């Protein structure tokens, strides 16, 4: 599956059928609709019905207060998994009971656990809200392309996960700006129907926007999928939640969605990289420093220098704010980051750059420095997974030549 204008070095032939099956889900997930109506320039999406948890949080007198405890305070809630280095997986969950140990028992047969791993826990307070105990446990080494059964904290329900394959074919679900509406539910149902190995999310997860209840309801919403396949995410503007003089940014996001930044040599959870099958994936931070004197720039330069394209012939980058955007929404917001980092990515022969932020779908030809370039990357905007803000429908006319 080749993007148009491909005239540069290509990955080995074995990689071509795969395009990771990356683009297989992109358009579907970007524009999925519960109504089943045709999608196009004149498509008008029906109003969303907020999910019950979101409605209660929005109408609550104290929207920052702690959510109501579950039936059993020791039961694992909001379970999700992510990669944590080669052949390892991080299991994350929340409990209302602070005495629950951060331990995961696991094995390849149901209720027959042959291994156990201990981890760490954290919690945070945000104005009148106090989180539950947030557990992070790394398990492994694990076999590739294998189903494992696991139990969190020594009690509660059994979960199961499937590890990604070690070689192509590889299927990645990609969705941005997810939120918590009936549109979100439609998108998640589309994903559930697909055979995929991992989900990538380029920012704007819960749309909590300071109301910490919504981080909890988002964790509950995505648990059926996020507990079975790794979810690899990066931050968007809705994860900031910064209050000048009171709260630094990304406190909730960093506590709840720990990614393998340390494993990839990064000093920040806001940018990192990982490898899966024949793909090297870089997750960049649009809302942390990125100029040539920044830690992120230095880390990116080092990470790119250490990539083995024989081992990982595909190089994919995700970030929140698009660099190439013909939609009226968020025009020019990615220009300064593009100016700083595009030359690095171009020199490394990045194949695809995926972003969110703009609530629409768009794909360029191969581009570099603002124009079509046969050696440039294909840019894909995938920013409408179901968030409450709706579609961005207005595009520049005539469209740019990219």
């Amino acid at each position: 599956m080749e993007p148009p204008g491909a005239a540069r070095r290509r990955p080995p032939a074995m990689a071509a059928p795969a395009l990771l099956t990356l683009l297989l889900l992109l358009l579907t997930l970007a524009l999925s609709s519960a109504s089943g109506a045709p999608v196009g320039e004149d498509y008008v999406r029906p109003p969303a019905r907020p999910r019950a948890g979101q409605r209660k949080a929005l109408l609550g007198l104290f929207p920052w207060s702690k959510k109501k405890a579950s039936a059993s305070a020791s039961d694992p809630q909001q379970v999700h998994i992510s990669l944590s280095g080669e052949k390892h997986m991080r299991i994350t969950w929340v409990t209302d009971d602070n005495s629950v140990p951060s331990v995961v028992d696991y094995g390849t047969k149901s209720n027959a656990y042959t291994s156990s791993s201990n981890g760490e826990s954290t919690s945070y307070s945000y104005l009148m809200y106090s989180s539950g105990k947030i557990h992070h446990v790394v398990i492994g080494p694990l076999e590739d392309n294998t189903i494992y059964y696991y139990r969190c904290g020594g009690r509660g329900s059994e979960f199961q996960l499937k590890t990604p394959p070690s070689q192509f074919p590889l299927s990645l679900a990609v969705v941005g700006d997810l939120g918590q509406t009936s549109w979100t539910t439609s998108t998640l149902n589309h994903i559930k129907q697909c055979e995929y190995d991992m989900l990538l999310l380029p920012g704007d997860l819960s749309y909590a926007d300071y109301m910490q209840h919504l981080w909890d309801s988002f964790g509950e919403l995505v648990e059926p999928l996020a507990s079975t396949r790794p979810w690899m995410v990066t931050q968007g503007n809705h994860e900031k939640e910064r209050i000048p003089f009171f709260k630094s940014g990304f406190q909730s996001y960093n506590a709840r969605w720990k990614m393998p930044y340390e494993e990839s040599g990064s000093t920040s959870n806001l940018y990192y990289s990982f490898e899966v099958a024949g793909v090297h994936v870089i997750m960049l931070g649009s809302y942390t420093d990125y100029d040539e004197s920044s830690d992120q720039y230095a880390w990116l330069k080092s990470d790119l220098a250490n990539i083995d394209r024989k081992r990982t012939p595909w190089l994919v980058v995700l970030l929140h704010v698009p660099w190439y955007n013909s939609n009226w929404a968020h025009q020019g917001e990615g220009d300064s980051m593009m100016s700083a980092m595009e030359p690095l990515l171009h020199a490394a022969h990045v194949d695809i750059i995926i972003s969110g932020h703009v609530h629409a779908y768009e794909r360029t030809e191969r581009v570099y420095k603002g124009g079509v370039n046969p050696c440039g990357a294909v840019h894909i905007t995938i920013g409408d997974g179901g968030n409450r803000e709706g579609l961005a429908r207005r595009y520049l006319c005539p469209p740019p030549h990219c």
Side-chain angles (χ1 to χ4, degrees):
M1 189 173 184
E2 296 284 343
R8 64 167 179 164
R9 173 202 56 74
R10 305 305 312 144
M14 67 169 184
L19 189 34
L20 342 155
T21 348
L22 173 68
L23 302 181
L24 173 68
L25 301 176
L26 282 174
L27 184 57
T28 302
L29 299 183
L31 300 173
S32 62
S33 164
S35 69
V39 175
E41 209 169 293
D42 297 324
Y43 172 68
V44 178
R45 185 168 58 179
R49 298 182 302 276
R51 296 183 65 255
Q54 184 176 13
R55 184 183 294 110
K56 289 178 181 178
L58 290 170
L59 298 178
L61 291 176
F62 300 101
W64 297 284
S65 62
K66 183 175 174 61
K67 74 180 187 69
K68 183 179 178 180
S70 61
S72 175
S74 61
D75 283 350
Q77 309 165 39
Q78 306 172 46
V79 181
H80 64 265
I81 66 175
S82 56
L83 295 186
S84 182
E86 187 175 6
K87 295 185 179 297
H88 287 75
M89 200 79 74
R90 177 176 284 107
I91 314 294
T92 297
W93 76 98
V94 179
T95 57
D96 293 317
D97 183 353
N98 289 332
S99 69
V100 174
S102 299
V103 60
V104 172
D105 304 308
Y106 61 99
T108 55
K109 295 183 179 179
S110 178
N111 293 310
Y113 310 123
T114 56
S115 300
S116 181
S117 293
N118 294 292
E120 61 185 11
S121 66
T122 188
S123 62
Y124 71 95
S125 297
Y126 194 97
L127 301 180
M128 298 172 64
Y129 172 93
S130 295
S131 76
K133 185 177 183 179
I134 303 170
H135 307 259
H136 299 289
V137 177
V138 175
I139 63 173
L142 305 174
E143 296 296 322
D144 301 313
N145 206 27
T146 300
I147 293 176
Y148 284 86
Y149 300 87
Y150 65 98
R151 182 179 62 186
C152 303
R155 66 202 75 192
S157 301
E158 179 181 77
F159 296 86
Q160 71 176 60
L161 64 85
K162 183 175 179 292
T163 57
S166 60
Q167 57 188 9
F168 296 123
L170 172 71
S171 295
L172 301 177
V174 186
V175 60
D177 300 65
L178 196 53
Q180 303 178 60
T181 69
S182 59
W183 300 323
T184 309
T185 301
S186 175
T187 297
L188 295 176
N189 286 337
H190 276 74
I191 297 173
K192 186 178 180 180
Q193 295 168 16
C194 299
E195 292 293 332
Y196 70 102
D197 300 303
M198 179 183 297
L199 184 139
L200 307 179
L201 203 166
D204 283 0
L205 285 70
S206 70
Y207 279 72
D209 291 329
Y210 306 98
M211 291 184 289
Q212 299 304 299
H213 266 145
L214 297 184
W215 278 111
D216 293 313
S217 59
F218 180 77
E220 295 167 358
L221 172 64
V222 302
E223 180 188 270
L225 296 183
S227 62
T228 64
R229 300 291 187 275
W231 279 41
M232 309 304 293
V233 306
T234 190
Q235 89 285 173
N237 52 302
H238 287 275
E239 277 73 63
K240 285 183 182 179
E241 299 184 313
R242 179 176 178 268
I243 303 177
F245 309 112
F246 289 96
K247 286 292 179 183
S248 59
F250 306 107
Q251 182 183 15
S252 311
Y253 170 79
N254 285 333
R256 295 171 181 269
W257 290 84
K258 185 175 182 180
M259 294 290 113
Y261 71 95
E262 294 169 314
E263 294 87 336
S264 60
S266 169
T267 59
S268 171
N269 194 48
L270 303 181
Y271 52 89
Y272 63 95
S273 67
F274 63 92
E275 293 184 354
V276 56
V279 187
H280 187 94
V281 181
I282 297 175
M283 309 290 269
L284 294 179
S286 294
Y287 298 98
T288 186
D289 292 342
Y290 45 69
D291 59 45
E292 292 187 16
S293 63
S294 67
D295 290 342
Q296 182 175 199
Y297 185 95
W299 169 83
L300 175 61
K301 190 173 182 179
S302 175
D303 190 76
L304 291 170
N306 289 306
I307 295 173
D308 179 358
R309 295 304 285 266
K310 292 182 179 179
R311 173 183 168 89
T312 54
W314 285 98
L315 178 52
V316 177
V317 173
L318 283 86
L319 53 118
H320 189 61
V321 180
W323 292 354
Y324 290 84
N325 171 29
S326 70
N327 196 286
W328 280 44
H330 303 297
Q331 268 295 313
E333 289 184 18
D335 289 355
S336 58
M337 187 179 189
M338 180 173 73
S339 177
M341 291 186 160
E342 189 181 33
L344 285 181
L345 301 185
H346 181 73
H349 306 295
V350 169
D351 296 292
I352 303 171
I353 299 176
I354 301 170
S355 60
H357 200 41
V358 175
H359 300 164
Y361 174 85
E362 184 171 21
R363 179 175 66 89
T364 71
E365 295 191 37
R366 295 188 174 276
V367 289
Y368 178 56
K369 288 191 174 181
V372 175
N373 186 304
C375 296
V378 173
H379 289 248
I380 300 172
T381 299
I382 184 81
D384 189 50
N387 66 82
R388 63 176 180 263
E389 295 174 345
L391 293 169
R393 300 180 58 227
R394 299 181 67 188
Y395 285 86
L396 302 179
C397 186
H401 296 292
C402 61

